[in-house]
Amino acid sequence: MTIPVNQLSDPAVRAFVTALNANDQEAFRDALAPGATMSDDGSDRDLDAWTEKEVFSSRGHMEIESEKGDGRVLVARYRNDTWGEMRTKWQFTVDGGKVSRFETGQA
């Protein structure tokens, strides 16, 4: 059973996931704080390059299995056209109502 995106607890995380799932690059950028950073499997990555490859050009999509930490820690089934589907963990730092950092990797 999955959690509908519109029921995610944290508004900034909800905006991030909604934009990602809609493949809406403008809304995705709007969900991020200026200078936002990210890491994948423990390695910092260039956010723009990573999201273009892993999300937008490969039609990334998250199905949320669980949330913790006031809605800022998610376990999701993530899929894209490059890697298929995998179980992933996402941890978000939110500042001023925007995602300032996210860390993802296999769960």
Side-chain angles (χ1 to χ4, degrees):
M1 189 158 157
T2 60
I3 299 170
V5 175
N6 66 356
Q7 292 181 12
L8 293 174
S9 300
D10 187 280
V13 172
R14 187 170 54 242
F16 177 100
V17 176
T18 298
L20 186 150
N21 284 353
N23 204 30
D24 184 335
Q25 292 184 37
E26 184 176 334
F28 185 83
R29 303 258 182 272
D30 287 346
L32 299 174
T37 61
M38 60 90 51
S39 71
D40 182 11
D41 283 328
S43 296
D44 280 1
R45 307 286 183 177
D46 177 274
L47 189 144
D48 291 331
W50 187 91
T51 55
E52 177 56 33
K53 180 181 178 188
E54 301 293 339
V55 178
F56 299 115
S57 67
S58 61
R59 296 191 312 232
H61 191 270
M62 298 171 72
E63 290 186 32
I64 311 305
E65 292 182 355
S66 66
E67 69 171 354
K68 295 180 186 175
D70 296 324
R72 294 184 179 175
V73 178
L74 306 178
V75 173
R77 289 192 311 270
Y78 185 77
R79 68 178 179 274
N80 67 25
D81 291 345
T82 303
W83 305 109
E85 184 174 297
M86 65 189 80
R87 193 163 186 259
T88 56
K89 179 180 178 182
W90 299 71
Q91 185 163 337
F92 298 89
T93 302
V94 175
D95 292 308
K98 304 266 186 179
V99 173
S100 60
R101 180 169 176 83
F102 67 93
E103 299 174 7
T104 187
Q106 293 193 44

